[in-house]
Amino acid sequence: MNASSIYDTIIIGGGPGGSTAGAFLAKGGQRVLLLEREIFPRFHIGESLLPFGNDVLKESGAWPKIEMAGFQRKYGAEFFVSNGSRWQRFWFADGLVPGYGQTFQVERAKFDHVLLEHAASCDCEVRQGCVAKAVTRDGDNWRVALTNSEVRGRWVIDASGRDAFLGRTLGFARKPMNLTKRIAVYAHFNGVYRNTGDAEGNITIVRLNDGWFWLIPLASGKMSVGMVRTVEDLKRFGGTAEEWFARTVASSHDLTRRMNAAERISEFYK
C-alpha cells in the first residue's frame, strides 16, 4: 500500500455529521478522506434544524454558505391536536438561553451538498459514489476495503447514520429497545397552507392518537409533509402506505384544512 492511500482519519458517510467532522479535522491539519456512496445532491429526510446547531455550523466555517443558500428561515414551532381545537406556538427567541432565536428549514439535497462542498474546500478529500465494503484492524491502523481498492487510516468515523456501517461490519451486538414499531410516510407538496409573517417558517406538528404529522415549510412555497404512525395500524389498514396517508389526512379536520389545495410534487417515501 503506497503512502497516498494512508490517512489520519477516514469518514464513512457524507451527510451533515460526516461533512462537518471532515471540515473540522481537515482544518485542524489532519489528512482526511470522506467516503460517500451516493452522488450529491440527493433526496434525504430530516429538514428542520434547531438553533443550538448553529454554533457547530459557525465554528466549522459553513454558516455563511448556509445563510446565502436561500433556505427558509425558522423562528419557532407549533403543535396542534388533530381536530384543531387546541394548539400552542413557541418562539425560539423566548427560550431560556439568549442568542438562539432563528435557524433554517432546509431541503436536504441542497443543504447536504453545501456541507459536503464546504468540507472539500477545507482540504478534506471527498470521494462520491465510493462504497466502503469492509473494515479490519491492522496494527495501529484500520483498513477500509472499497469496491476496487483499499485505504488505511489511524481513525475511522462511522457517519453512515442508520446504516450503522461499523456495527454491521464488525458484528456488534444489537440491544433491542422494546419500543412500538413506527413507520414514516412522507413527500413534498405545493399548495399546503402556510402561516404568514415570522411564523411562515415554523414547523407544525399535528398530534394523532397513535402518532403525528409534520409539516415543514421549505423555500419557494414547497412543504415537506410526513406522517408517523404504528406499523400495526398500517397492517390493519391493509392498503398501500400512500392510501393510508390520504385516509389519515381525511380523518383530521386540521390536516384536511391544511392540505385542501395540496399538490404532491415528489414521490412518496417511507
Side-chain angles (χ1 to χ4, degrees):
M1 182 175 295
N2 59 51
S4 64
S5 299
I6 302 175
Y7 297 85
D8 293 306
T9 300
I10 299 169
I11 301 171
I12 299 169
S19 293
T20 302
F24 274 115
L25 291 171
K27 289 171 67 175
Q30 285 201 13
R31 185 163 185 250
V32 184
L33 173 64
L34 190 156
L35 306 173
E36 170 52 49
R37 67 183 181 184
E38 299 188 47
I39 303 294
F40 284 18
R42 55 85 178 98
F43 178 88
H44 205 282
I45 202 62
E47 300 143 323
S48 196
L49 303 186
L50 290 171
F52 278 102
N54 297 353
D55 290 343
V56 176
L57 293 171
K58 291 174 182 177
E59 290 170 15
S60 75
W63 184 254
K65 299 173 183 179
I66 299 301
E67 286 192 305
M68 294 175 60
F71 295 122
Q72 172 68 54
R73 292 183 178 272
K74 173 187 176 185
Y75 297 97
E78 50 200 51
F79 300 83
F80 283 73
V81 296
S82 181
N83 64 10
S85 62
R86 289 181 295 166
W87 67 286
Q88 182 66 54
R89 176 177 290 167
F90 299 92
W91 296 103
F92 296 142
D94 294 335
L96 296 176
V97 181
Y100 295 93
Q102 180 256 312
T103 186
F104 295 99
Q105 308 280 24
V106 299
E107 194 164 351
R108 285 287 299 278
K110 185 176 183 180
F111 178 72
D112 290 12
H113 200 195
V114 169
L115 293 183
L116 193 70
E117 290 187 328
H118 175 67
S121 75
C122 297
D123 293 327
C124 171
E125 181 181 336
V126 174
R127 298 188 193 178
Q128 298 187 61
C130 187
V131 180
K133 296 290 189 178
V135 60
T136 54
R137 192 68 173 166
D138 180 19
D140 293 333
N141 296 313
W142 291 94
R143 290 179 180 267
V144 179
L146 309 178
T147 303
N148 296 308
S149 61
E150 185 179 79
V151 291
R152 189 170 64 186
R154 292 193 303 123
W155 300 93
V156 173
I157 295 177
D158 183 358
S160 64
R162 292 181 61 187
D163 286 349
F165 172 80
L166 277 181
R168 288 188 296 102
T169 305
L170 299 178
F172 292 165
R174 297 183 63 182
K175 183 177 180 180
M177 300 182 69
N178 297 319
L179 298 174
T180 301
K181 290 185 177 180
R182 299 183 184 274
I183 184 172
V185 181
Y186 48 91
H188 285 172
F189 297 81
N190 281 334
V192 180
Y193 171 81
R194 296 171 78 98
N195 294 326
T196 58
D198 285 346
E200 180 186 2
N202 287 4
I203 183 173
T204 298
I205 303 296
V206 179
R207 185 75 172 90
L208 308 173
N209 287 333
D210 63 347
W212 63 92
F213 259 79
W214 76 70
L215 298 99
I216 300 174
L218 303 172
S220 303
K222 188 181 300 185
M223 185 81 72
S224 171
V225 183
M227 177 181 77
V228 181
R229 296 188 66 188
T230 66
V231 173
E232 282 301 315
D233 189 80
L234 175 57
K235 291 178 179 178
R236 285 193 298 268
F237 174 65
T240 67
E242 292 82 358
E243 292 168 339
W244 186 44
F245 181 100
R247 186 195 69 170
T248 307
V249 169
S251 70
S252 165
H253 176 273
D254 191 62
L255 289 169
T256 298
R257 173 181 66 85
R258 294 172 183 275
M259 301 286 290
N260 182 54
E263 174 191 4
R264 183 164 57 87
I265 57 174
S266 79
E267 63 181 286
F268 270 108
Y269 298 88
K270 58 181 184 293

